[in-house]
Each structure stands twice: as structure tokens, then as C-alpha cells.
Amino acid sequence: MGSQRPTESLSVYNFGAGPAMLPRAVMQQAQAELLDWHGSGISIIEMSHRSKEFAVIVEQSEADLRALLQIPDNYKVLFIQGGATSQFAMVPLNLTGPQDVADYVQTGNWANRAIKEAKRHCRVNIVANSEADNYRSLPARESWQVSEQAAYLYYTANETIGGVEFHAVPESGEIPLVSDMTSNFLSRPIDVSRFAVIYAGAQKNFGPSGLVIAIVREDLIGKVRQGVPTLYDYAVYAKDNSLYNTPPTFSWYVAGLTFQWIRQQGGLAAMEKRAIARAAKLYQFIDTNDFYSNPIDPACRSRMNVPFILADEALDGSFLEQAEKNGLLALKGHRSVGGMRASIYNAMPEQGIDALIDFMRDFANRYG
Ligand code: PMP
């Protein structure tokens, strides 16, 4: 057996953007149940996805997610594999024909990936972009040039690399609204009824990578265009409880545990409160210490991903090395932007923020 990690105040905090830290209680439950799920004598990993045992997980996980987000009855919850990236294609393939126009807001790396993929499948109109500002702000809703007959309007709720987040759902009128919520899913309450499709990859806020959940309004299902592979048709998942083929059962199970954990913690209102507290503390420290800075427009700073730079980038290597020695892991910024990034999702306890700030203060005192 490897060494046991402490259970309460952790000696290591993982600030990775994803796969990311999961709630300790979830990891412990998964560990305790790993060899024998609920007296079945076998592991969840070894269990048929069509067994009566797994059916319990299918049912419970969806019920918990529906309760958390108060998902209206006219929405399907789909458990899909292929990561959030699969949705970059699945959205246009299910919601457009080749001649249709889809509207996209270009807010950074992940919007760009979605746009690039959508362009392979339909016409894309960029309603606004913040490229000139190096994606450090979000274009004001009033400035968006929406198409008259867009099949949908798409935005990235939180840019994981850039560290910008929409703090309000943009108005879309009659146009179906689609959002990639991969990196802020379940960190705040959301009015699902305003959306046509919401999707989120699991590996930030609720489970192991590979799994993506799509919440899709029923009337939009069943319109996939001709020739699309079976596994890219929302209807195939909607028809069969996402069990057309073998789903990522272990990831699904862990997602279910995380949904239960969030409910036990007080639901999305509690998650939001904690997210606000964590982010406020960290930004406040960065803003008041000359050695560190965060370049993002304060109105749209992400509560989940906090990029920051040191006054002297020659110190980046020492910062990362010493942080790691202090149990503060994976703080290196994305290779495309450099600097540092602290990803602080639902599972990050406030002690993790305190430990990071203590270290940053000490480092600044020694090198600033
Ligand atoms: N969208 C966003 C906002 C992301 O942060 C990521 C992954 N970091 C993706 C999409 C792609 O997810 P995946 O790697 O699961 O395909």
C-alpha cells in the first residue's frame, strides 16, 4: 500500500486545473467501497453497467443532480464519454444543418476550440470577441452582433486557462442558449430553464476525466443530421438512460458520490458561498501585494481559476519548486499564457487558500 494521506487538514493541496482535486470524503468513500460495493462482493469497476446494482447508481446520480440544479422535467440528463471536447462537435451536429448559422462568443482558449470544431459542421458567426484585450475581459452583452436566425448562441461560462467567468447568464431572447460549463459547473446555482444545452466535463468539479454530462432540452433531441456516428446523437443517450454502450462506470459512480457530497454540504448555494469566499481571499491578497498581480478585469474574474504573475518571471521556477516542497501542487500556469494559476474548485478547502497565501507572502518577503 502507498502512504495514506491525512484526512482532515491536508498536507498537500492540488491546484491543478483538471483532473483536479475531488472532495476528500468522496475519495475516502470510493476507497472504502472499492473492493466490495455495498456488500455485492465485487468492485464497481467490475460490475455490469446493466446490473441491478449499477441501476441504483444511474438512478440516484441523476436524481441528485436534478435536485441540485432543480432541472425541469423537460430536460434530459445525459452521461456521455469523450470529454467536454466531444460536445464541441455534438452541439452543432445535433442542433444545426450544414447551412445553419450558430453564434459564438470568442472569449479565450476554450471558446476558440469550440469555434474551430463548429466551423467544420456549420456556419459560425462570432458575435463578439475579446482577443484585442488578450482575453482578459468579456465583451459586454450590448456589443454582441447576434445573427437574426442563429440555431443557437454559445458561450463558455468559465475560461479555465484565461481565468474569466460570466457572472450572469447572457440574455439570448428566443435563440437557444448553449453553454460550456466545464470549469464552473455546480459551483453556483443556475437557472437551467434559460438554456437549450448545458454541458460540463467531470474532471474539475465532480469526477474523473472522460465523462461529460449534457443537460439537453427535450425538444432539441432527435434532430441529429444524417450520417453522424451513433454515439454523437443525443437521442441515443436520451432513449436508453445513457446506456446504449458501456459507459465510464467508475467515473459515473464517483460523479454520483460527488453530487451526494454537494447535497450534504448544503447544495449549490453553499458551494457558491464557499467559492466566493475562497476567490475573494486570494484576489484580495494578490491585489494588495506588489509582488503578485492578476491581469483580469475585476468584473469577470473567475472564482475557479486564478491566474497570477510574479513581479519577476525569472523567479517562476523557484516559486513552483518551493511551492511544491510546501505541498502546494500544480500551480504552473497553462503553457499558452505562462505565469501561475491556482484552480480552486468546489473541493478546495479554505485551508488550502490560507496555505497558498501564507506561502506566497513568505516567498514575496524573501524575494521581493
Ligand atoms: N471546456 C473547458 C472550459 C475546459 O476547461 C476543458 C478542459 N480543460 C474542456 C472544455 C475540454 O475538456 P476535455 O479535456 O474533457 O475534453
Side-chain angles (χ1 to χ4, degrees), residues 149-194:
Q149 291 204 313
Y152 58 86
L153 170 63
Y154 178 108
Y155 76 102
T156 308
N158 183 69
E159 285 283 359
T160 322
I161 294 173
V164 295
E165 181 173 8
F166 280 86
H167 293 298
V169 174
E171 204 48 63
S172 73
E174 294 298 301
I175 303 171
L177 188 59
V178 175
S179 185
D180 173 1
M181 294 194 186
T182 294
S183 48
N184 65 357
F185 194 56
L186 303 180
S187 70
R188 55 168 77 212
I190 278 284
D191 179 358
V192 174
S193 71
R194 292 191 57 188

Side-chain angles (χ1 to χ4, degrees), residues 17-18 82-86 88 110-111 113 154 156-161 180-183 199 201-204 209-212 341 345:
T85 301
S86 69
F88 295 164
W110 293 107
R113 287 263 198 125
Y154 178 108
T156 308
N158 183 69
E159 285 283 359
T160 322
I161 294 173
D180 173 1
M181 294 194 186
T182 294
S183 48
Y199 69 83
Q203 69 270 29
K204 324 288 185 187
S209 58
L211 172 69
V212 53
R341 172 178 50 171
Y345 303 115

Side-chain angles (χ1 to χ4, degrees), residues 92 96-101 118-124 225-226:
T96 69
Q99 294 312 316
D100 288 337
V101 177
K119 281 183 174 167
R120 305 181 62 201
H121 309 296
C122 64
R123 289 158 60 206
V124 168
R225 67 174 76 168
Q226 289 280 315

Side-chain angles (χ1 to χ4, degrees), residues 131-279:
E131 199 177 1
D133 188 29
N134 244 328
Y135 301 120
R136 289 172 178 163
S137 60
L138 290 171
R141 175 64 188 87
E142 303 75 63
S143 69
W144 298 7
Q145 304 285 318
V146 292
S147 317
E148 250 170 43
Q149 291 204 313
Y152 58 86
L153 170 63
Y154 178 108
Y155 76 102
T156 308
N158 183 69
E159 285 283 359
T160 322
I161 294 173
V164 295
E165 181 173 8
F166 280 86
H167 293 298
V169 174
E171 204 48 63
S172 73
E174 294 298 301
I175 303 171
L177 188 59
V178 175
S179 185
D180 173 1
M181 294 194 186
T182 294
S183 48
N184 65 357
F185 194 56
L186 303 180
S187 70
R188 55 168 77 212
I190 278 284
D191 179 358
V192 174
S193 71
R194 292 191 57 188
F195 293 87
V197 179
I198 291 170
Y199 69 83
Q203 69 270 29
K204 324 288 185 187
N205 258 330
F206 65 94
S209 58
L211 172 69
V212 53
I213 286 183
I215 302 170
V216 186
R217 214 176 64 208
E218 248 166 17
D219 60 292
L220 296 163
I221 297 174
K223 298 179 177 165
V224 79
R225 67 174 76 168
Q226 289 280 315
V228 166
T230 307
L231 285 178
Y232 272 64
D233 178 359
Y234 284 138
V236 167
Y237 296 83
K239 210 163 49 206
D240 198 15
N241 265 340
S242 307
L243 293 171
Y244 174 78
N245 71 330
T246 317
T249 49
F250 186 73
S251 300
W252 192 331
Y253 153 76
V254 175
L257 295 183
T258 309
F259 301 156
Q260 279 170 17
W261 177 83
I262 296 173
R263 291 192 74 183
Q264 286 156 9
Q265 302 298 303
L268 300 186
M271 291 301 113
E272 179 171 46
K273 207 167 147 211
R274 290 183 198 177
I276 290 172
R278 280 190 305 260

